[in-house]
Amino acid sequence: MQIQDVILQLLLKQPFYGYVASLVTPCESSSIPDILLDAASSPKLLYNREWFEGLSGQQAMGAVMHELLHLVLMHPFRRGNREKLLWAVACDMAVNEYISPSMLPGNAVTTGKIAREYREKIPPLESAEAYYEILLENNGNVSFIDRKSEVQLVLKSGLELKAKPCSEDDSAEVNRNALKSMISEVLQQAEAEGEVPDGLQKHIVEVYSSAQM
């Protein structure tokens, strides 16, 4: 399935993501292995066409939704001085909460898989910051390996999962604020149509009412 077809399907079936997709420009790139959000002032969705068109329709939609959620939640701007690999995993845990398991790859990191490994309840639909603190507290139970384009998690049970670091943006604050304002306008439109996924609204309020990223 071509990426333009996926975006059209999102407009029809998942309008919230269709609204957000209107902000990004899909750009084919053979220099990346899969898909990556370039969170510049004019966001781009970079994708490897051969990889993308080899996905099932459901997983192609899930891949696009995953990147759009990172944009909505401004993850590329919010790491601060947090450890990069843990932050990447925490961000993936946060966005994958809103995507059906059937739309995720089998080795995607999720709160359910991490909870089973830690043998403790992990709250659903939380922020990346909250999941980061949980990972930090249980750091001895998981090995994090930097694979450049992805983070590999090796759990004590032997299960191997993968997360992908956000493409961090170090542009001027004025550009980040312009992007934040642009996304905020689209989210207000989506909210007016009643299309915001359950549980996401509180995090949108936290991100877009805060003066800090």
Side-chain angles (χ1 to χ4, degrees), residues 3-116:
I3 197 164
Q4 292 83 1
D5 296 328
V6 170
I7 291 173
L8 177 59
Q9 287 298 308
L10 287 174
L11 283 166
L12 295 174
K13 298 179 179 179
Q14 304 260 10
F16 171 79
Y17 297 100
Y19 280 117
V20 181
S22 69
L23 295 175
V24 303
T25 303
C27 296
E28 186 178 337
S29 173
S30 59
S31 65
I32 61 171
D34 39 47
I35 192 167
L36 179 68
L37 174 73
D38 180 4
S41 54
S42 297
K44 298 178 181 64
L45 192 59
L46 308 177
Y47 70 101
N48 182 301
R49 182 175 179 178
E50 183 177 358
W51 171 84
F52 189 84
E53 294 184 2
L55 298 174
S56 69
Q58 284 288 295
Q59 289 197 338
M61 288 182 69
V64 173
M65 290 164 61
H66 180 102
E67 299 302 324
L68 295 177
L69 282 163
H70 281 311
L71 179 63
V72 167
L73 294 169
M74 302 294 284
H75 285 158
F77 307 98
R78 291 168 54 190
R79 180 165 70 93
N81 60 3
R82 297 180 181 89
E83 202 283 323
K84 184 176 181 178
L85 301 187
L86 266 68
W87 178 246
V89 175
C91 289
D92 270 14
M93 288 172 67
V95 302
N96 287 341
E97 281 289 280
Y98 300 97
I99 304 173
S100 168
S102 66
M103 303 173 84
L104 294 170
N107 59 4
V109 62
T110 65
T111 56
K113 293 172 185 175
I114 297 296
R116 286 193 293 273

Side-chain angles (χ1 to χ4, degrees), residues 133-152:
E133 292 302 319
I134 291 172
L135 291 169
L136 199 60
E137 291 172 7
N138 295 273
N139 204 7
N141 294 328
V142 183
S143 297
F144 298 87
I145 304 171
D146 189 353
R147 299 295 190 193
K148 292 186 179 180
S149 64
E150 64 186 19
V151 181
Q152 182 179 359

